[in-house]
Amino acid sequence: TFVGTGKSFDSGTISFELGEGRVIPGWEQGLMGMREGGRRTLKIPPSLAYGARGAGDVIPPNSHLQFECTLVKIPQGAVEKFLAQSPIFPVFAGLILFSAVAIGLAGK
């Protein structure tokens, strides 16, 4: 939802590996260390989301976003892959169930 309106902008599932650059930096940082079945609320400032550019007609510029995330599944072999990586740049692979809510706009 967007702060002030309560409007939800997305929900669903996504599968990805952290470090691939397929998700916003706030997800990259906020999902690190999750376990299968774990739940997290991510509150992401514009600087770790879509910033001044926004995301088309869906997310206005400078939006603060909130995501309710559940790690549904970690694929077999993902932990071994994680352990084989440099501790500076770990890899995460999993299926995330999320609902996305933009909780605010900068300056409002």
Side-chain angles (χ1 to χ4, degrees):
T1 56
F2 294 99
V3 173
T5 67
K7 181 180 177 188
S8 180
F9 64 88
D10 198 4
S11 66
T13 58
I14 184 172
S15 180
F16 64 93
E17 290 186 15
L18 290 181
E20 289 184 326
R22 291 184 47 215
V23 296
I24 59 175
W27 273 43
E28 294 275 355
Q29 294 177 19
L31 298 175
M32 189 66 62
M34 280 187 79
R35 296 181 181 186
E36 199 169 278
R39 302 178 104 166
R40 284 197 183 157
T41 298
L42 304 181
K43 294 181 180 180
I44 303 175
S47 62
L48 295 174
Y50 299 98
R53 74 181 187 279
D57 296 333
V58 179
I59 301 172
N62 300 312
S63 292
H64 293 258
L65 307 177
Q66 178 172 312
F67 297 88
E68 303 297 331
C69 301
T70 302
L71 177 53
V72 177
K73 177 112 176 104
I74 297 176
Q76 187 173 3
V79 173
E80 291 79 7
K81 184 176 180 181
F82 170 82
L83 294 174
Q85 299 293 319
S86 162
I88 296 171
F89 195 65
V91 173
F92 161 96
L95 179 63
I96 300 290
L97 173 66
F98 72 96
S99 69
V101 176
I103 60 166
L105 303 176
K108 294 196 177 202

